[in-house]
Amino acid sequence: MDIKAYIESGIIERYVLGHVSPQEKQEVECMSHIYAEIADELRSIESSLEQIAIKGAVTPPAHLKASIMERIKSEEQVQKDSNKPEAKIIAMNTSTPTGKLNKYLAAAVVFLVIGIGGILIFMNQQQSSLNEQLNATNDRLDSLNVENAQLQTTLVATNNDLIFIKDAQTMKVLMNGTPAHSENLATVYWNTTSKKVLLEVNNLSTPPSDKQFQLWAIVNGQPQDMGVFDINTATAFLEMNETSDAQAFAITLEPKGGSASPSLDQMYVIGTI
Amino acid sequence: MKESELHIAIDQVKQGDSKAFEKIYDAYSSALFGVCLKIVNDQEQAEDVMQDAFVKIWKNIQSYESSKGTFFTWMLNIARNTAIDKLRQMKKRGGGSIQNELNDVSNMVANSESFNTNTIGLNELLQKLPEEHQQILEYLYYKGYTQQEVSDELDLPLGTVKTRSRYALRALKDLFILLLLAWTLKHI
C-alpha cells in the first residue's frame, strides 16, 4: 500500500468536501484507522475547516435558541441501528450461509492482516532509519580517514623539519627588526653541508597586497636572491633557495614576484652569522 | 467547552437530555451560524437552516461515532449540507444567475451591515488566500459544487479543478498556522 500515493490522489479532500461515493467514504474511514498518516492528513484538513468556522463565528439572534429547544421537544431521536449503512452491512453478513465460527475466523484474519501490515510498515521504517544512520556513520568514517592522512603528512613533514634543525651542521641565524620595524623577527636555519635553508617567520608585518617579502643571503658583500614568500601560518617553516655560503641573511619588502636586487630602504629584518 | 465536558454532554444528549443539548448549542451555535450565513448569504434563511440543522443533530446524535472524527466536524458537516440544500432550493425558486450570486465578497459585505462584523472577518480571512484557491473553496466548500460542476461553471479542465482543490484545502491549513502565529505575536 502506497500511502503517499493514496493521499496524493486527492480522495481525502473529496471526502472532506462530501464528494465521495458511499464505498469511497467507507474506504477512507477504514484506511484512516489503519494508517496514522492518512488519519493525520484527514484530521488536519478537518481541523483547519473547524478553525476557519470558529474564526468566522457570528452570534445568532437570541430567539433562535428558544425555538430550536422548543422544536426538539417534539422530535424523537433516531435509534442507531434503524437507518444506518453499517447496520445494513451487518444484516447482509448474518444472512450469508457461513457459520458463526467462520465469521470470527474472518474477523481474526482481517486483524491478522492488519497487524502484519502494521508490523511490516514499522519494520520498513526502522530499516530505512537504520540505513540512514549507517550512511551517516560511513560518511563520518570517510572524512576521519581523510583527516588522518592529512595529519600523517603534516607529522612526517614536521618530523623532517625537526631532524634538520637538530642537525649539528644546521646553523640558527636570528634576524632582528631594523629600527623602522623593530618589532619584526624571523629566523633562518641553514645547513652548511646540505646547503638547505628553512625560514621561520616569528613576527613580520602583513605586506600590502601588491608586495611580497624576499629573503636575501649576503655572500662576500653581495646580496643573493633566496626567494620570495608569503606569510603562511599553516606551516611552521618555509623552504627557501639553497646557498653554499653566507655572512648574513635579510628580508626586504619587494614588488610582487621579487626584485633582482634588494630595496635597502625596505629592509625589515637582518641577522649576521 | 472542554473536551471532557463535551463528551459528557454528548452522552447526556444521547440519553435524551435537552439541558445538555442547550450546552452544546451555546458552545457551537455561533461557529455554525457563521458558516450558514456564509453559504446562504441571507439572515432569515440562515436562521431556518440553523433550526433544521440542530433538529438533525438532535435526531441523529446516536449515529455520531467519535472514531470517525470530532463532534464539531460532524455538526459542521450537517450544518453545511443543510445550508447547501437550502441554497439550491433558493436558486431553483429565484432562478437567478449563479454568476451574480457568486460575486459574493463585495455582495456579502454590502448586504451584511446588519450582521455581526465577524462575518466580514470570515470573508477577509479567505481573501488572504490566493484568488484561485478562494474561488475553489467558495464553490466546493461553501456552494457545494462537485468538481465536475466547477469545471463546467468556470470552464476549467477537470484536472485543474482537482489539483486546485487539493492545494486550496492545504492552503487553508497554512493560512490557519499563519493566523495562529499572528495571534501569538499580538499577545506576547
Side-chain angles (χ1 to χ4, degrees):
Chain A
M1 175 68 204
D2 188 346
I3 303 163
K4 219 174 158 197
Y6 190 76
I7 293 175
E8 293 292 313
S9 76
I11 191 169
I12 295 172
E13 283 82 359
R14 288 197 292 118
Y15 173 88
V16 171
L17 292 168
H19 299 154
V20 284
S21 67
Q23 285 92 329
E24 286 177 314
K25 185 168 181 280
Q26 274 207 331
E27 181 188 291
V28 171
E29 281 163 4
C30 179
M31 295 294 254
S32 71
H33 278 123
I34 303 172
Y35 301 105
E37 242 177 302
I38 293 176
D40 287 349
E41 186 72 15
L42 179 59
R43 269 310 298 146
S44 77
I45 295 174
E46 283 180 346
S47 131
S48 51
L49 288 168
E50 286 179 0
Q51 294 303 334
I52 294 286
I54 291 170
K55 289 272 172 195
V58 181
T59 313
H63 65 83
L64 187 63
K65 180 177 170 183
S67 50
I68 287 173
M69 293 314 292
E70 192 55 38
R71 266 187 70 184
I72 63 159
K73 272 187 194 163
S74 54
E75 296 282 354
E76 283 276 318
Q77 288 187 354
V78 179
Q79 286 315 302
K80 198 183 175 185
D81 40 11
S82 63
N83 198 16
K84 286 277 297 170
E86 282 89 343
K88 271 180 207 156
I89 288 162
I90 291 164
M92 274 166 66
N93 281 345
T94 46
S95 69
T96 54
T98 49
K100 225 177 186 175
L101 190 68
N102 278 357
K103 215 170 77 182
Y104 287 127
L105 201 66
V109 168
V110 167
F111 279 114
L112 199 66
V113 167
I114 291 169
I116 290 171
I119 290 167
L120 281 178
I121 290 166
F122 176 72
M123 281 171 68
N124 199 14
Q125 279 168 354
Q126 290 286 97
Q127 171 81 37
S128 53
S129 113
L130 279 176
N131 276 344
E132 252 177 58
Q133 282 177 22
L134 189 66
N135 283 341
T137 311
N138 278 341
D139 288 347
R140 180 88 191 100
L141 198 63
D142 284 347
S143 74
L144 280 176
N145 276 338
V146 171
E147 251 172 64
N148 188 26
Q150 282 166 352
L151 281 176
Q152 293 257 10
T153 316
T154 316
L155 190 65
V156 168
T158 310
N159 213 14
N160 287 343
D161 288 343
L162 196 64
I163 291 166
F164 174 76
I165 287 164
K166 278 169 71 184
D167 193 299
Q169 301 302 311
T170 299
M171 213 178 262
K172 180 180 181 182
V173 185
L174 214 60
M175 296 183 288
N176 285 309
T178 56
H181 307 284
S182 55
E183 75 287 2
N184 283 234
L185 179 71
T187 314
V188 159
Y189 295 91
W190 173 42
N191 192 298
T192 46
T193 314
S194 73
K195 300 173 194 167
K196 187 175 161 180
V197 173
L198 283 189
L199 173 68
E200 182 188 8
V201 176
N202 306 92
N203 178 31
L204 281 181
S205 317
T206 310
S209 59
D210 56 333
K211 302 270 171 103
Q212 251 180 329
F213 283 117
Q214 190 167 3
L215 179 69
W216 305 92
I218 314 298
V219 185
N220 302 325
Q222 290 298 313
Q224 180 186 315
D225 175 27
M226 298 292 289
V228 293
F229 63 91
D230 294 311
I231 299 173
N232 182 356
T233 47
T235 49
F237 300 99
L238 300 162
E239 188 162 354
M240 305 306 289
N241 296 346
E242 295 183 348
T243 183
S244 51
D245 199 2
Q247 289 83 48
F249 289 98
I251 292 173
T252 60
L253 190 64
E254 302 293 343
K256 235 181 162 86
S259 306
S261 58
S263 318
L264 293 175
D265 56 336
Q266 290 298 317
M267 186 180 290
Y268 274 58
V269 291
I270 185 159
T272 53
I273 294 163
Chain B
M1 198 177 222
K2 274 189 224 149
E3 187 95 2
S4 54
E5 288 172 352
L6 175 65
H7 284 301
I8 294 169
I10 293 170
D11 284 344
Q12 288 169 336
V13 174
K14 283 186 176 177
Q15 308 293 325
D17 183 344
S18 61
K19 277 269 173 285
F21 194 65
E22 253 185 274
K23 278 190 208 158
I24 289 175
Y25 179 89
D26 291 340
Y28 293 98
S29 58
S30 41
L32 298 182
F33 192 53
V35 173
C36 294
L37 263 180
K38 165 83 182 135
I39 293 173
V40 299
N41 199 11
D42 179 292
Q43 174 91 9
E44 246 177 75
Q45 302 284 5
E47 287 177 28
D48 268 10
V49 171
M50 284 287 276
Q51 287 215 24
D52 293 346
F54 271 95
V55 168
K56 282 183 198 168
I57 291 168
W58 168 261
K59 281 177 74 173
N60 295 303
I61 188 106
Q62 306 292 346
S63 70
Y64 166 70
E65 284 170 37
S66 60
S67 63
K68 287 186 185 172
T70 65
F71 189 61
F72 188 12
T73 287
W74 185 73
M75 289 194 295
L76 204 52
N77 281 336
I78 291 179
R80 173 177 166 253
N81 290 336
T82 312
I84 287 171
D85 286 346
K86 174 71 82 183
L87 181 70
R88 290 195 181 129
Q89 277 173 24
M90 285 159 66
K91 251 181 233 163
K92 240 184 244 169
R93 231 172 282 148
S97 137
I98 305 157
Q99 203 53 49
N100 280 343
E101 287 175 35
L102 282 171
N103 263 332
D104 11 60
V105 178
S106 51
N107 255 348
M108 185 80 182
V109 175
N111 293 343
S112 65
E113 273 164 49
S114 59
F115 295 171
N116 187 314
T117 44
N118 280 343
T119 324
I120 299 162
L122 190 82
N123 280 318
E124 255 180 16
L125 217 64
L126 294 171
Q127 274 182 325
K128 295 206 168 84
L129 293 168
E131 207 167 311
E132 52 181 44
H133 289 169
Q134 272 180 55
Q135 195 185 34
I136 286 281
L137 277 173
E138 194 70 47
Y139 278 92
L140 289 177
Y141 189 70
Y142 293 108
K143 304 293 172 197
Y145 277 49
T146 63
Q147 291 177 332
Q148 184 60 58
E149 285 167 339
V150 177
S151 153
D152 295 343
E153 183 72 32
L154 297 183
D155 206 11
L156 285 169
L158 186 58
T160 310
V161 175
K162 283 186 175 170
T163 321
R164 282 193 194 168
S165 57
R166 270 176 54 62
Y167 287 117
L169 283 169
R170 239 149 266 249
L172 255 191
K173 233 161 66 178
D174 299 342
L175 174 66
F176 176 62
I177 293 168
L178 278 180
L179 287 169
L180 200 69
L181 268 178
W183 185 89
T184 315
L185 287 176
K186 235 192 274 173
H187 289 79
I188 286 174

